[in-house]
């Protein structure tokens, strides 16, 4: 029996020919990036409000992180037994600052400023045993 993989939410990320990417939009006038997608530019100095599809990732730098030492309250999902994990804020090289779970078995080893890359990995397993996939950031060694 193989485990089926399902995205945590449709339209947020994709496995492309070049590897995993986040799916967003970018303003064609001022180049402001948006993830998740935005239909309008929220830059108050920008008047044109023309958006185009954009993909982001995979490389970036860890800007900040925090370890979730105890199980988060609903609607957060996790596999039992609970294992502490880290949430990171990453500056992608293409100008997007994005929040994501960190992919590491040793959250205490994470350091601000380290290079990370986008990966698509299970967040938890649902009631049917499917692996629910989300985006994470993995330290580049
Ligand atoms: Zn704009």
């Amino acid at each position: 029996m193989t485990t089926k993989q399902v995205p945590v939410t449709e339209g947020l990320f994709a496995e492309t020919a070049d590897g995993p990417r986040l799916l967003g939009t970018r303003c064609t006038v001022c180049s402001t990036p948006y993830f998740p997608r935005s239909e309008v530019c929220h830059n108050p100095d920008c008047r044109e409000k023309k958006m185009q599809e954009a993909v982001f990732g995979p490389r970036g730098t860890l800007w900040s992180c925090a370890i979730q030492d105890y199980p988060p309250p609903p609607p957060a999902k996790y596999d039992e037994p609970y294992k502490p994990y880290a949430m990171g804020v990453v500056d992608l090289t293409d100008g997007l600052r994005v929040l994501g779970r960190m992919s590491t078995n040793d959250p205490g080893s994470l350091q601000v400023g380290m290079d990370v890359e986008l990966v698509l990995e299970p967040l938890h397993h649902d009631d049917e045993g499917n692996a629910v996939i989300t985006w994470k950031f993995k330290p580049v060694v």
Side-chain angles (χ1 to χ4, degrees):
M1 191 179 117
T2 56
T3 304
K4 190 177 164 193
Q5 298 199 335
V6 295
V8 65
T9 304
E10 292 286 347
L12 289 179
F13 50 83
E15 187 69 49
T16 73
D18 296 325
R21 296 290 186 275
L22 298 177
L23 304 178
T25 51
R26 186 183 290 277
C27 177
T28 60
V29 178
C30 71
S31 295
T32 300
Y34 292 93
F35 172 77
R37 289 184 171 100
S38 176
E39 299 300 319
V40 296
C41 184
H42 299 284
N43 178 352
D45 297 326
C46 182
R47 297 178 175 203
E48 296 292 329
K49 316 286 186 200
K50 291 179 183 164
M51 308 296 284
Q52 66 181 12
E53 300 287 311
V55 296
F56 301 107
R59 299 299 286 262
T61 305
L62 186 60
W63 182 75
S64 178
C65 70
I67 298 174
Q68 180 72 37
D69 281 314
Y70 53 88
K77 307 254 204 250
Y78 49 86
D79 287 334
E80 299 285 356
Y82 178 78
K83 279 174 53 182
Y85 61 87
M87 292 298 294
V89 181
V90 169
D91 281 332
L92 293 175
T93 54
D94 36 26
L96 192 73
R97 178 170 285 174
V98 61
L99 182 71
R101 192 182 284 224
M102 300 304 293
S103 172
T104 175
N105 290 323
D106 184 11
S109 70
L110 296 170
Q111 293 185 335
V112 167
M114 72 193 317
D115 291 334
V116 298
E117 66 181 358
L118 183 69
V119 293
L120 302 180
E121 294 183 346
L123 177 66
H124 68 100
H125 292 75
D126 66 16
D127 294 339
E128 287 90 53
N130 301 319
V132 179
I133 304 298
T134 193
W135 76 93
K136 298 182 184 179
F137 293 103
K138 186 174 201 154
V140 177
V141 289

